[in-house]
Amino acid sequence: MTFLSREATIARPGFSRWLVPPAAISVHICIGEVYGFSVFNVPLTQAGAGWTIPQVGWVYSIALVMLGMSAAVFGKWVDRGGPRKTMVVSCVCFCGGLLISALGVKLKSLWMVYLGYGFLGGIGLGLGYISPVSTLIKWFPDRPGMATGMAIMGFGGGALIGAPLGVRLMDQFKSTTSVGVAEAFLVMSILYAISMLFGASLVRVPPEDWKPDGWEPGPHGQPMMTNARIGVDRAWKTPQFWCLWMVLCMNVSAGIGILGQASKMCSDMFGVSPAVGGGFAGLLSIFNMGGRFFWSSISDHTGRKTVYSIYFLFGAILYCAVPWTQSTQNKTLFVVVTAIIITMYGGGFATIPAYLRDLFGTYQIGAIHGRLITAWSVAAIVGPSLVNYISTAKIEAGVPHAEAYNSTMYLMAGLLVIGLVANLLVQPVDAKYRITESPKDQEK
Amino acid sequence: MKNKILLAIAWAWVTIPLGWGVYQSLQKSMPLFFDR
């Protein structure tokens, strides 16, 4: 298996580092399909097995929980094994999970779908998500935000591709005896395997001590950046790690508050048709993707702490402005405000790896990022629960549908203020956490 | 030369599906601008 080893992926002289971002995106546009999984919910309930929407909804939840858990548990192995091996294992898990789910739909076994797409596919998501991060940061020490932003933008774009692809495949394979879900899963697993393996074959790690022509490491213009090596076992004992955990958790919780109910919120607040509400959700997906690249690239110039302060401060103001756009019934302003909010939500996801690199260095950055992703799993459960609980309670208390979201928006602004405080508390990591021995000594 | 061809293929590999996805989303969002 030498082809998969880290040593086999060391780039030869003349290799262009600009091949690494498409390698990473090839993987991320596949695993990002999980964001579009909801297109399968209704067809799965019509598959003839008597499954309900809440039962089917667990597939997505299990996948997201496994994403966080696998990234946290296997992060060290990812850093040790290298990007190619991780991408191939991620491909086997994610595409294998789709295949098992296809079989589960055919055999009308919901447990097989849970096991396939949820459990195994979720592990593939976690491994695939963190697999290119440390490699990209090492290839682009001069622009780590932009580099990781490109990969994570691919994850956001995965939903834009996966959802319409799934719908088209189901339409293609629909018959009197099948809703086409199993066949769609089968074809998608093949297409995604081709793309992920293409990415795995393309990826390379830089030789030891490689740096871009004309670029010299440190002293950095930004005091937060370090060239020190801090391992994952020490990193997660630092207050900085938990500040960033809170930063990510608050950013994601608040963003999901809008993304998760965009269609219904637009319909309720402005009395528009479900088609218009769906159009609004589609538009937000594009801004979610674009924001990942835009803001993370900006962070290379402003510094990570500044850009997160902008997300939280400006974001909180914009959340508070949403109820005002509703009261004035200014739909255009509503779309503009929410679109900017969502760019910053995506930017928060994409800028985190570079923030971690600044604080902890590149040593075990993949593993540290993996542990931090547990904040996403928590937010994916906490965020929607908060929003649903509050809006339902308001409606039951007699508040008109159009105004039921106001409290939610103020709550989201409050979450962003907590995130802002956590971000402002981030300081350079104490020297006592730095590793002084060589990486080889560490492995002994 | 070989490197440049590989670069072009690699970037086309990801930008074509991403462009298709953005186009699909834009189409989906059309009612937002033209429906009442």
Side-chain angles (χ1 to χ4, degrees):
Chain A
M1 299 294 264
T2 50
F3 174 73
L4 299 181
S5 69
R6 171 177 277 279
E7 290 69 34
T9 58
I10 296 173
R12 291 181 183 164
F15 178 83
S16 169
R17 63 175 176 164
W18 290 98
L19 280 168
V20 183
I25 298 170
S26 298
V27 173
H28 270 230
I29 55 173
C30 299
I31 59 175
E33 186 270 341
V34 68
Y35 272 156
F37 185 79
S38 59
V39 297
F40 295 110
N41 284 351
V42 172
L44 279 170
T45 62
Q46 298 164 345
W51 300 335
T52 62
I53 288 282
Q55 283 178 326
V56 169
W58 274 103
V59 179
Y60 176 79
S61 301
I62 295 170
L64 273 200
V65 169
M66 288 313 298
L67 185 159
M69 284 178 65
S70 61
V73 171
F74 298 120
K76 264 187 179 177
W77 175 81
V78 169
D79 278 337
R80 230 180 10 249
R84 183 177 290 164
K85 191 184 282 180
T86 312
M87 285 174 177
V88 170
V89 175
S90 164
C91 171
V92 170
C93 291
F94 184 66
C95 300
L98 274 168
L99 283 177
I100 292 172
S101 298
L103 193 64
V105 175
K106 275 286 172 206
L107 298 176
K108 302 192 191 319
S109 165
L110 188 57
W111 284 103
M112 280 184 78
V113 182
Y114 287 159
L115 177 73
Y117 197 98
F119 185 79
L120 196 59
I123 294 174
L125 291 176
L127 293 178
Y129 193 83
I130 61 171
S131 62
V133 167
S134 75
T135 307
L136 281 166
I137 285 177
K138 283 171 188 163
W139 274 116
F140 291 87
D142 46 342
R143 279 177 280 183
M146 180 210 71
T148 54
M150 274 193 274
I152 294 173
M153 176 191 74
F155 194 87
L160 304 186
I161 300 164
L165 179 66
V167 170
R168 283 183 183 224
L169 287 173
M170 283 188 289
D171 285 344
Q172 185 71 31
F173 292 111
K174 199 182 287 179
S175 68
T176 50
T177 55
S178 169
V179 285
V181 179
E183 294 84 350
F185 281 168
L186 180 67
V187 174
M188 287 171 98
S189 75
I190 295 168
L191 292 176
Y192 286 154
I194 293 169
S195 179
M196 292 174 84
L197 292 177
F198 176 73
S201 67
L202 209 59
V203 76
R204 298 284 187 283
V205 293
E208 198 74 21
D209 300 326
W210 177 89
K211 57 183 172 53
D213 290 339
W215 180 81
E216 287 300 329
H220 298 287
Q222 295 161 14
M224 203 68 81
M225 291 176 80
T226 180
N227 293 321
R229 295 185 303 118
I230 299 169
V232 63
D233 292 330
R234 294 183 186 189
W236 84 309
K237 290 174 185 157
T238 63
Q240 287 82 358
F241 176 88
W242 292 104
C243 282
L244 286 197
W245 194 95
M246 192 56 84
V247 160
L248 184 63
C249 190
M250 293 301 109
N251 181 63
V252 177
S253 297
I256 287 175
I258 281 197
L259 261 187
Q261 55 178 357
S263 177
K264 188 171 179 297
M265 192 170 83
C266 185
S267 301
D268 285 348
M269 290 175 83
F270 293 92
V272 294
S273 67
V276 176
F280 173 63
L283 195 70
L284 288 192
S285 303
I286 297 173
F287 281 93
N288 178 21
M289 186 182 89
R292 290 167 188 242
F293 179 68
F294 176 77
W295 287 108
S296 59
S297 302
I298 294 276
S299 77
D300 287 333
H301 302 285
T302 62
R304 261 48 89 171
K305 195 169 182 176
T306 305
V307 90
Y308 272 96
S309 296
I310 295 170
Y311 297 158
F312 290 130
L313 200 59
F314 192 33
I317 294 168
L318 290 175
Y319 269 104
C320 291
V322 171
W324 172 67
T325 63
Q326 187 276 325
S327 66
T328 56
Q329 282 296 296
N330 191 333
K331 196 170 77 178
T332 307
L333 198 58
F334 169 77
V335 172
V336 170
V337 166
T338 48
I340 297 172
I341 287 173
I342 292 305
T343 64
M344 294 192 288
Y345 160 78
F349 262 119
T351 317
I352 273 289
Y355 209 163
L356 290 171
R357 180 252 166 270
D358 292 354
L359 289 167
F360 302 109
T362 55
Y363 178 66
Q364 293 195 338
I365 178 74
I368 299 170
H369 186 217
R371 296 233 177 138
L372 199 82
I373 284 173
T374 50
W376 179 7
S377 294
V378 171
I381 296 165
V382 172
S385 305
L386 268 176
V387 171
N388 289 337
Y389 174 76
I390 291 175
S391 55
T392 307
K394 285 283 167 190
I395 289 168
E396 283 175 0
V399 174
H401 276 249
E403 294 167 23
Y405 297 93
N406 293 0
S407 304
T408 311
M409 293 303 125
Y410 296 132
L411 174 75
M412 297 297 131
L415 293 181
L416 291 186
V417 171
I418 296 172
L420 176 67
V421 172
N423 182 49
L424 293 177
L425 288 173
V426 174
Q427 296 296 325
V429 178
D430 195 305
K432 72 178 179 185
Y433 293 104
R434 293 179 184 177
I435 291 170
T436 47
E437 59 265 55
S438 73
K440 282 182 181 168
D441 291 339
Q442 280 281 305
E443 286 165 13
K444 283 177 186 169
Chain B
M1 186 64 188
K2 192 182 156 195
N3 222 348
K4 281 183 180 169
I5 294 170
L6 191 58
L7 264 174
I9 293 170
W11 279 102
W13 183 272
V14 294
T15 50
I16 291 171
L18 276 174
W20 181 77
V22 170
Y23 173 71
Q24 295 297 319
S25 273
L26 276 176
Q27 269 203 327
K28 189 183 167 194
S29 66
M30 282 300 118
L32 182 65
F33 303 106
F34 299 113
D35 268 25
R36 296 210 167 263

